[in-house]
Amino acid sequence: MFSSGFQAELQSELELSTARVTLCEENEAVVQLSGTAADYTKIAEYLQNEQGVLFPQIVVPFEFAVFDGHSRRVLQTAILKPTHANDPNLAVSSTFKNVHDLLLTISERFDPAQKFIDQTLSVVSSTYKTLEEISSAFISWFREVSHSAVTQYKSHLEITSTSPIRALAWHHYKQIFAIAHRLNTVHIFDLTTAAWFPKPLIHKFQQDITCIEFHPQSGSTIAVGCRQGVCIWKVGLENSEIKAFANSAWMTFLTQPSFENVSCISWSPDGKYLAVGSATTSAILIWDVALEICTPLRSGLGTGSWDMKWSPDGNYLSQFCLSNHVRIWESQSWSVRTLILKGKPHSPAWMPDSKMLIYGFQGQSKVSGLQMNATFPELVTADLQGADLDLNLAIESNGIKQRVTGPISKIELDPSGNRLAVMFGPLREAKDKLTTEDENNLDEAFIVHTDYVLAMYKVTVKPWPKYDLSGIIEGPQWNANLSKPHPPRSPFHNSETPNLEKNPDPKIFTFANQFDRGALLSVCWDNGKIGFIP
């Protein structure tokens, strides 16, 4: 795609530098621009001279005035506490209490039946007390689990609010993507015209956005997961004029009683169904969006859902819980297989053939997975051999290098299954020190200037998944000359003097669904910049 020249170099030496920025991947190695070529003007000139792909510079502001017709919208993180009004154990307990009270009333009015009623009352009272104790214990456990789930959900919202962008989704067959802003607005960008659509998508129900996804078959439909449900937007993406676009967007709100704090959504490949998960309940909803009919799916007790992915053939739906549970649902009769793993999994990704599902583990640097070993709709799985992707990283302060390490926090697989983007972090000091050989061998020790590091891997799947490092994705620096306010992780840190030791972290990254030249990775950095790595 690119030839060598104009200070472009393949990343044969993988040290990280604040004077380098990632341009693309070529021949299974990351291409960097270094020195004075790391500014956007010269990158554009380089791409034009080399007949490469030119992507626009996109910067999303941290704050801006958002009007809903009368007043400015202000970000509010209001977490609804789970209610127990529909708890079946409380309902049973209440029923026994009603029987108990009824027998007391009968015993007071009918003396001939006193002996029988006394005996029955004794049995009911004993049963009621036992059931009350069981219900009390269950309620305590349920509240503890719910509180933990709400805490994680609230923490996720707080983390995503430290950068301008909360979520990003690509159109399935156009060079268009949508972002969810921290102010709970949705904005659409067209890469072919290098322009934003003129009107953001705003609604009072669209609060605490956690996820966003385009309809796979209807390019004008966008699903937005929010606190109390899902906003289904119909948008005329062919209209670029302000008046036409403003009059061609409308929203349907999908909501279900006692199902709140939506954490993940996933369209079926045919676009007929939308799966919705909540951070505070183990149940998931399968919406027939056209009919607005909801089918709840439950599989015993457990914690909430944190991610869901439909297999490319539409036969299976993977549900990743906040605990160490993974559920694989088959879409014919909605039978389920529950797997209990040795760790908390995250970031499910299906291979294109729908036979393998890979994922990471919280606190670990290993990518694992499972394989579907039977014909649909049977649910027979086998564990895949895991791969340790731990990077040998280092930080440098006052001329002294210190080894750092970090777990995998997210993975993303491109639609062809040939590239895997992996984010490591938060980085921390390692127990073992750097040796002289490590310091002299930059292929082994990378100098980092961020709390999170994004790496690109080539993927092969036979006989089992194998991941070969292509290089590190290096992003922008903080611009200390920009006017305040800055994100909480900005170089100012509530101070007038900027601290530029740490560069912006990658926050959100995903591959485009359609790209003729291979894979296209989009990266949202916590200073609001969106970068593209072909």
Side-chain angles (χ1 to χ4, degrees), residues 308-529:
M308 288 191 301
K309 283 291 189 300
W310 225 295
S311 63
D313 60 10
N315 288 339
Y316 305 104
L317 176 66
S318 62
Q319 176 192 3
F320 279 49
C321 300
L322 291 169
S323 60
N324 59 342
H325 290 72
V326 171
R327 295 189 175 97
I328 307 297
W329 301 83
E330 54 86 5
S331 59
Q332 180 172 295
S333 61
W334 294 116
S335 298
V336 64
R337 177 178 174 84
T338 300
L339 306 173
I340 302 177
L341 306 181
K342 297 179 180 179
K344 294 183 179 181
H346 63 77
S347 309
W350 287 94
M351 290 294 178
D353 62 359
S354 301
K355 299 298 183 183
M356 294 183 184
L357 175 67
I358 63 173
Y359 45 82
F361 280 106
Q362 291 185 25
Q364 301 181 28
S365 58
K366 183 174 67 173
V367 173
S368 298
L370 57 87
Q371 183 168 344
M372 308 303 296
N373 277 356
T375 57
F376 177 77
E378 296 183 26
L379 292 170
V380 179
T381 64
D383 293 335
L384 293 174
Q385 180 175 332
D388 195 340
L389 305 185
D390 190 21
L391 291 177
N392 193 14
L393 306 170
I395 58 174
E396 184 174 11
S397 179
N398 299 324
I400 300 175
K401 296 178 181 179
Q402 169 65 44
R403 186 190 301 275
V404 293
T405 185
I408 294 175
S409 54
K410 184 185 177 184
I411 66 173
E412 189 77 23
L413 185 70
D414 89 290
S416 69
N418 295 322
R419 294 293 182 271
L420 184 72
V422 181
M423 183 164 68
F424 296 86
L427 301 180
R428 58 184 183 275
E429 290 188 6
K431 295 181 180 179
D432 53 333
K433 304 296 182 180
L434 283 173
T435 64
T436 303
E437 182 180 358
D438 287 334
E439 293 193 25
N440 295 331
N441 189 352
L442 292 178
D443 286 334
E444 297 294 334
F446 312 146
I447 309 302
V448 299
H449 301 272
T450 55
D451 294 327
Y452 290 80
V453 168
L454 185 60
M456 182 75 77
Y457 289 84
K458 178 190 175 184
V459 182
T460 54
V461 295
K462 293 183 179 180
W464 53 74
K466 180 183 177 184
Y467 313 96
D468 296 313
L469 179 66
S470 297
I472 303 296
I473 306 299
E474 300 192 48
Q477 300 180 50
W478 290 107
N479 187 344
N481 297 321
L482 289 178
S483 59
K484 289 188 176 182
H486 288 285
R489 220 195 67 80
S490 77
F492 285 92
H493 293 290
N494 300 320
S495 171
E496 295 297 331
T497 304
N499 177 6
L500 302 178
E501 291 184 0
K502 291 288 187 179
N503 286 348
D505 285 328
K507 302 295 287 188
I508 299 166
F509 56 97
T510 185
F511 286 94
N513 290 310
Q514 190 274 331
F515 188 65
D516 294 336
R517 298 178 181 233
L520 176 62
L521 179 68
S522 55
V523 185
C524 303
W525 306 87
D526 63 356
N527 65 344
K529 289 189 177 181

Side-chain angles (χ1 to χ4, degrees), residues 51-93:
Q51 298 180 350
V53 180
L54 177 62
F55 293 101
Q57 174 184 348
I58 302 177
V59 181
V60 178
F62 187 69
E63 286 184 348
F64 57 90
V66 181
F67 294 89
D68 57 7
H70 300 284
S71 60
R72 178 174 176 175
R73 296 268 302 283
V74 180
L75 176 67
Q76 294 180 345
T77 305
I79 308 301
L80 299 183
K81 296 182 179 180
T83 61
H84 306 286
N86 297 325
D87 192 314
N89 289 277
L90 291 183
V92 173
S93 178

